[in-house]
Amino acid sequence: IGLEGIEAEDRKQVLIADTPEAFAQKIAEVGRNPEKIREMGTAARKLMEEKYDRTQLIASLLRRYEDLIRQE
């Protein structure tokens, strides 16, 4: 539920788990691999900048409004 609507992938940009125990296990796994943490951080930032940047969201919304106006 906490990630619903965000196009992130488990172990690529975020860690996803169904239970607190599973989440703790994943944190422990990446905690032993600093390079994986850096890779995930870089991928997460890229995803947010490309998909969820305010400027991008506004431009997408304006395009949708323009499409609706043209349909009338």
Side-chain angles (χ1 to χ4, degrees):
I1 294 175
L3 196 60
E4 191 170 322
I6 297 177
E7 297 177 24
E9 296 177 43
D10 187 31
R11 297 179 191 254
K12 184 173 181 183
Q13 297 99 352
V14 296
L15 297 175
I16 301 171
D18 292 327
T19 66
E21 294 80 13
F23 191 59
Q25 178 65 34
K26 287 185 176 189
I27 291 172
E29 288 172 13
V30 297
R32 292 186 293 269
N33 187 347
E35 182 58 30
K36 180 65 176 173
I37 294 170
R38 280 189 286 280
E39 288 173 10
M40 287 179 62
T42 299
R45 181 178 182 109
K46 182 179 178 192
L47 174 70
M48 291 301 118
E49 288 174 347
E50 290 177 357
K51 296 274 188 177
Y52 303 102
D53 175 72
R54 184 180 323 168
T55 304
Q56 297 286 356
L57 293 172
I58 291 169
S60 176
L61 185 59
L62 288 174
R63 282 192 300 274
R64 287 182 185 175
Y65 286 153
E66 289 168 353
D67 290 344
L68 288 171
I69 291 169
R70 283 190 209 111
Q71 290 177 5
E72 289 184 5

